[in-house]
Amino acid sequence: MTELRAPRITTAQIAELRSLREGPRVTKAFLARLAEHYVKAENEGVLNPARHFADYLGVQRQTVLTYMRMARRGGLTPKNRP
């Protein structure tokens, strides 16, 4: 049975993500930092990192997936991702 892992992210890093997300617009700084943590979590073997980041940010899982799509379109994630 596969162990479910959570991303290795500190409370300070979560607080930083939340503060970057404040305001009426989704910023490039927020997307870049989220993408960095998200890709790191995937590389660590976290299954469904969107669920974890949704919990951290207080949003729906689909919202995190939308943020990641925005990050990819903005060139903020590695190109060799599926």
Side-chain angles (χ1 to χ4, degrees):
M1 184 156 175
T2 305
E3 176 187 340
L4 292 180
R5 299 180 190 187
R8 292 182 191 164
I9 185 169
T10 66
T11 52
Q13 290 169 323
I14 293 169
E16 178 193 29
L17 276 175
R18 287 179 180 161
S19 71
L20 288 171
R21 196 177 126 261
E22 289 178 359
R25 305 193 74 171
V26 176
T27 65
K28 190 171 183 174
F30 167 73
L31 293 175
R33 185 67 75 214
L34 176 63
E36 176 185 323
H37 289 301
Y38 194 101
V39 170
K40 182 176 178 253
E42 286 181 325
N43 291 337
E44 292 172 350
V46 174
L47 302 176
N48 197 359
R51 178 178 59 88
H52 294 284
F53 286 102
D55 288 344
Y56 299 151
L57 295 170
V59 298
Q60 297 293 315
R61 179 181 169 274
Q62 189 59 45
T63 302
V64 173
L65 295 175
T66 299
Y67 291 154
M68 287 305 296
R69 202 167 30 255
M70 292 168 71
R72 277 192 298 280
R73 287 182 184 147
L76 303 173
T77 59
K79 296 293 183 202
N80 60 351
R81 292 179 43 99

